[in-house]
Amino acid sequence: MSFRRYDVQAESAQSRWQSRRSSLPPSPPAAGSVPAASAAAPESNPGTAGSSPKLGNAILYEPKRRPSLGGVSPHRRASSSSSVAVTLPSTTAPLNPVMQAIRLQKKYPQVTQEEMFALIEKFNAIDTDTPGRVPKTSVINALQNSGEASYDRARETLKDVSVDASGKVELEDWVELNVKLKQQAAPVLPTKAGKVLVKGSNANVSHTINEDEREQFTSHINGVLEGDEHIGNRLPIPTNNMQIFDECRDGLLLCKLINDSVPETIDIRVLNMPTAKKPLNNFQMTENNNIVITSAKAIGCSVVNIGPTDIAEGREHLILGLIWQVIRRGLLKHVDIKIHPELYRLCEEGETIDDLLKLTPDQILIRWFNYHLKAAGWHRRVANFSKDVSDGENYTVLLNQLKPDECSRAPLQTTDRLKRAEQVLQNAERIGCRKYLTPPALSGVAILEAFDKVAPGSVVWRRVSKPRVVPGSPEAATFSGGEGEEEEETGVTPNMPQLSRFKCVENTNYAVELAKANGMHVVGIQGADIVDGKKTLVLGLVWQLMRLNIAKTLTALSGNNKPISDTEILKWANGKVATKPGAKAIRSFKDPYISTGIWFLDLLDAIKPGIVDYSLVSKNPDDYESKRQNAKLAISIARKMNALIFLVPEDIVDIRSKLILTFVGSLMSLRT
């Protein structure tokens, strides 16, 4: 290939451009800029009449997709008195800045030449590590800081700009964005009754999110993650705009939130961390978001309809639903009679402690709420956290009963519901409480949904009675991913189905029927046992569902459509480990060596060489905690590889063979 030499030092510019440049402050020289070759003669661009104005000494190339200001970064430009000489293949022709502006003007005739030069100059001024390509968040912040658009207006308008798959904004994208901002007449985020309509994945889809929930969840995150060593510098996140969803894109904030709700779920050592000079790339963000999704599943969150890409793209309704579930998991973890034995007072007449232990945290909260309403002599009771508390009266009495000196019953005298609600929130703030909405959970349907996931098409849904999810709630978005239509709330009791016991037993009897049809051993279990929450029987059924899920996955991978035995799984795993020099095999899934966690780490590194940083591994763990740290590291690395893991570190250290089998099976399913 032949090469030609180009001198970027332009000749005298057109008078209009030169006068504009003279009015701008000089730009400091970039570190490491290439000195000009004094003997290099300028070579004019074919088809260019006259001289060309310089744009920060930038070399302009024609990318594969469309023209952009690229090459030597215009965002770190040298001073106007210097020039840059670069050797380029003859197949790459530099673009003249004026011609670039003229070409863009033809596409956007509503932009004058002076305005186009101004847009190019502003684009060049945005700092970036990828010349000619700027992260979306940097573009949004630049527009917000200049006062040309609010954060939300810039963010929502950018959704209509045809940015390529890299997610980086190029010059033409920048011009298109600014044109669209000027053309807007209607609000970009229509709001009604505290709910905002946001654009979905395409022009025909939109979703509704609750402004109050977004604000409160953001405040919660700011509080619990304040001072964090890795993301503390990104806090506090503004509560009055959509920035929370952009902050979630790299997965770090959500991983930290999961660990706050359920400590040590994620081993922070496996997360990809950005540096000042090297931000995370798309692949690294996907790995982090794989950890978010698999870890959320592990702590009991429903992640239907959400994947790593949805987080990276900042899909508001899905991220909000996920955030709520993680926060809720943390808020309710202490609502447990084992932690607070005094909750025995909530037993109703004829009930025992065993009956109380069967209740979910939501049901215990309802009991607790009514206990205090009764003690306060109040005539009302609550059966849900929607309609029964919407007028603020029950909350007013509850707060007064808990803290009479700080929370009066004065809000009961306020006739305006909105004002009363504000007074209730002020009372709650005085005693350090925050407002969270508790969406309903589905009961009796979860096992059937699991069956349909494991064996698609096996569930005849017309036979199933399903309660409704409260429309507009975060969980409703997570379950349905719908169009954001607003409906009246139904007042479903949290974790209590809007179904009779008879309908629930019908559902669970059908689940038992499906279990038998899929070859599962369900001797001695009936639908009523599931409704009554008989722990041993329910866990046995769930374990077999897990095993069936992995067996079906591995059968599909076998190539001969035959089930893979436990022995074959063990042989495959030891075969992988054997490829690593010095690695030790195991004799069975009960081998004592498993407890060290090292065998799993060797297996992971054999599947994906380099995924394990052995400087983090305890080589000869001789105590329980060292083994647990190795096991914790192995689980987090597996989740980073997008493996669905059903166990916790203690299961590895204690060598629970059934769960260890599911772990290896999940890793085996990654081989494609």
Side-chain angles (χ1 to χ4, degrees):
M1 179 184 294
S2 61
F3 291 88
R4 293 158 60 190
R5 186 183 182 96
Y6 291 95
D7 187 356
V8 182
Q9 174 65 49
E11 299 176 17
S12 60
Q14 298 174 3
S15 58
R16 181 182 297 178
W17 173 249
Q18 197 65 276
S19 63
R20 171 163 179 76
R21 286 284 295 181
S22 63
S23 67
L24 297 172
S27 303
S33 59
V34 183
S38 58
E43 186 168 337
S44 61
N45 192 9
T48 303
S51 58
S52 305
K54 61 184 178 181
L55 288 182
N57 293 335
I59 295 181
L60 305 177
Y61 300 108
E62 181 75 34
K64 292 180 180 179
R65 187 170 72 87
R66 59 175 179 252
S68 173
L69 287 177
V72 177
S73 174
H75 309 277
R76 298 181 178 180
R77 54 190 182 275
S79 64
S80 58
S81 61
S82 64
S83 62
V84 180
V86 189
T87 300
L88 297 173
S90 60
T91 55
T92 304
L95 296 177
N96 182 277
V98 173
M99 296 303 294
Q100 178 80 328
I102 292 173
R103 187 191 66 79
L104 288 172
Q105 268 192 287
K106 288 181 179 179
K107 186 171 183 178
Y108 302 102
Q110 63 270 55
V111 181
T112 67
Q113 187 181 71
E114 185 72 15
E115 290 172 337
M116 188 63 71
F117 283 142
L119 287 175
I120 294 173
E121 187 70 26
K122 289 176 182 178
F123 181 75
N124 288 349
I126 304 174
D127 186 39
T128 180
D129 292 314
T130 52
R133 297 161 65 79
V134 183
K136 288 182 178 180
T137 50
S138 298
V139 167
I140 295 170
N141 287 326
L143 289 168
Q144 181 187 31
N145 294 337
S146 68
E148 296 176 70
S150 66
Y151 188 98
D152 287 349
R153 183 168 171 245
R155 183 180 185 275
E156 198 68 6
T157 305
L158 191 53
K159 292 180 181 180
D160 293 329
V161 177
S162 52
V163 179
D164 64 23
S166 71
K168 296 294 181 67
V169 176
E170 298 180 5
L171 175 59
E172 187 169 324
D173 303 324
W174 167 258
V175 174
E176 182 183 352
L177 171 61
N178 279 271
V179 169
K180 288 182 180 294
L181 285 171
K182 286 187 177 181
Q183 292 174 339
Q184 284 172 355
V188 292
L189 288 173
T191 304
K192 180 181 179 182
K195 295 182 179 180
V196 179
L197 194 66
V198 296
K199 296 171 186 173
S201 55
N202 61 63
N204 299 320
V205 177
S206 61
H207 304 282
T208 299
I209 64 171
N210 188 297
E211 276 275 79
D212 187 55
E213 290 166 354
R214 179 195 51 73
E215 180 180 339
Q216 293 299 328
F217 297 168
T218 304
S219 295
H220 175 88
I221 289 171
N222 286 337
V224 299
L225 299 183
E226 181 182 10
D228 183 89
E229 62 176 316
H230 298 114
I231 63 169
N233 61 316
R234 291 157 58 173
L235 303 175
I237 300 167
T239 60
N240 61 348
N241 62 31
M242 299 286 184
Q243 186 175 332
I244 179 65
F245 303 112
D246 293 327
E247 295 293 343
C248 290
R249 287 182 171 183
D250 63 6
L252 293 177
L253 185 144
L254 291 174
C255 284
K256 293 287 188 173
L257 183 62
I258 288 172
N259 269 2
D260 175 74
S261 290
V262 184
E264 297 195 334
T265 298
I266 299 169
D267 193 323
I268 298 300
R269 296 175 294 176
V270 308
L271 295 177
N272 297 315
M273 298 287 183
T275 63
K277 295 183 178 180
K278 191 175 182 181
L280 297 183
N281 57 39
N282 288 345
F283 177 76
Q284 291 170 320
M285 288 193 287
T286 296
E287 285 191 327
N288 284 351
N289 289 327
N290 281 338
I291 295 174
V292 171
I293 297 297
T294 52
S295 299
K297 289 180 181 178
I299 66 172
C301 298
S302 171
V303 289
V304 179
N305 297 328
I306 181 170
T309 302
D310 296 311
I311 298 175
E313 293 179 353
R315 300 280 175 81
E316 298 90 350
H317 66 298
L318 296 175
I319 293 175
L320 192 69
L322 181 59
I323 288 175
W324 163 243
Q325 291 189 76
V326 174
I327 290 177
R328 179 179 179 276
R329 179 71 174 80
L331 291 174
L332 297 183
K333 65 185 177 185
H334 297 300
V335 183
D336 190 331
I337 194 171
K338 296 176 183 177
I339 300 174
H340 296 285
E342 64 273 17
L343 290 175
Y344 78 90
R345 298 174 183 174
L346 301 181
C347 286
E348 296 180 349
E349 187 176 351
E351 285 187 339
T352 65
I353 292 295
D354 289 337
D355 296 319
L356 197 62
L357 287 172
K358 294 177 184 177
L359 299 180
T360 65
D362 303 78
Q363 292 168 326
I364 292 176
L365 279 177
I366 290 287
R367 287 268 187 108
W368 175 83
F369 201 150
N370 286 328
Y371 175 87
H372 286 290
L373 292 179
K374 181 179 179 180
W378 186 240
H379 64 283
R380 293 178 58 184
R381 299 292 182 268
V382 298
N384 54 65
F385 286 118
S386 52
K387 287 187 175 179
D388 287 358
V389 295
S390 62
D391 61 6
E393 290 186 354
N394 288 322
Y395 275 137
T396 298
V397 175
L398 174 65
L399 292 170
N400 175 256
Q401 178 67 13
L402 296 173
K403 293 285 185 178
D405 295 336
E406 299 171 67
C407 304
S408 72
R409 292 195 181 189
L412 295 177
Q413 309 305 317
T414 302
T415 56
D416 185 278
R417 285 194 174 193
L418 186 60
K419 291 181 180 179
R420 184 190 303 152
E422 180 59 35
Q423 292 170 344
V424 169
L425 292 178
Q426 290 172 0
N427 278 344
E429 191 67 29
R430 289 191 190 99
I431 61 175
C433 295
R434 295 186 181 274
K435 183 191 63 157
Y436 295 100
L437 305 177
T438 307
L442 301 183
S443 177
V445 180
I447 291 179
L448 290 169
E449 290 179 332
F451 266 114
D452 204 45
K453 182 74 173 177
V454 173
S458 62
V459 179
V460 180
W461 286 105
R462 64 175 178 270
R463 291 185 54 182
V464 181
S465 300
K466 295 184 71 174
R468 293 178 61 194
V469 177
V470 174
S473 70
E475 280 188 346
T478 305
F479 281 112
S480 65
E483 298 296 317
E485 294 295 330
E486 294 185 30
E487 301 178 34
E488 183 182 358
E489 291 192 357
T490 58
V492 180
T493 303
N495 268 0
M496 288 281 287
Q498 194 183 19
L499 299 173
S500 65
R501 175 180 172 83
F502 176 77
K503 291 292 185 181
C504 289
V505 172
E506 272 190 342
N507 285 346
T508 49
N509 278 337
Y510 183 34
V512 173
E513 179 184 326
L514 288 173
K516 293 177 180 178
N518 281 275
M520 295 166 59
H521 300 286
V522 287
V523 178
I525 182 171
Q526 298 177 347
D529 297 320
I530 299 174
V531 175
D532 293 338
K534 293 186 177 178
K535 186 175 180 180
T536 302
L537 296 176
V538 173
L539 287 178
L541 179 60
V542 172
W543 152 249
Q544 291 187 75
L545 260 174
M546 291 162 54
R547 182 70 178 86
L548 178 63
N549 179 38
I550 293 174
K552 282 185 171 289
T553 301
L554 298 180
T555 297
L557 295 173
S558 66
N560 55 16
N561 203 32
K562 292 183 179 180
I564 297 179
S565 66
D566 296 359
T567 302
E568 289 174 302
I569 295 175
L570 178 62
K571 182 179 179 181
W572 170 84
N574 276 331
K576 283 288 185 183
V577 171
T579 63
K580 292 187 62 62
K584 181 180 177 182
I586 59 173
R587 297 185 300 273
S588 71
F589 290 122
K590 296 181 179 180
D591 193 309
Y593 183 59
I594 290 176
S595 69
T596 66
I598 296 175
W599 181 81
F600 272 117
L601 291 165
D602 288 339
L603 175 58
L604 290 163
D605 202 64
I607 295 172
K608 188 174 183 179
I611 192 70
V612 177
D613 180 355
Y614 279 93
S615 67
L616 304 176
V617 180
S618 179
K619 304 299 191 299
N620 298 294
D622 54 2
D623 60 272
Y624 193 92
E625 182 57 27
S626 297
K627 294 177 180 179
R628 198 183 73 85
Q629 288 298 323
N630 280 352
K632 178 183 172 186
L633 182 65
I635 290 172
S636 291
I637 291 174
R639 287 175 177 154
K640 188 175 186 177
M641 295 166 62
N642 205 26
L644 184 57
I645 306 302
F646 296 107
L647 79 175
V648 295
E650 289 76 8
D651 295 326
I652 294 176
V653 180
D654 296 337
I655 317 178
R656 291 174 181 149
S657 58
K658 287 184 177 180
L659 291 172
I660 288 169
L661 172 63
T662 66
F663 191 176
V664 180
S666 295
L667 297 180
M668 192 175 182
S669 69
L670 296 177
R671 63 185 180 181
T672 56

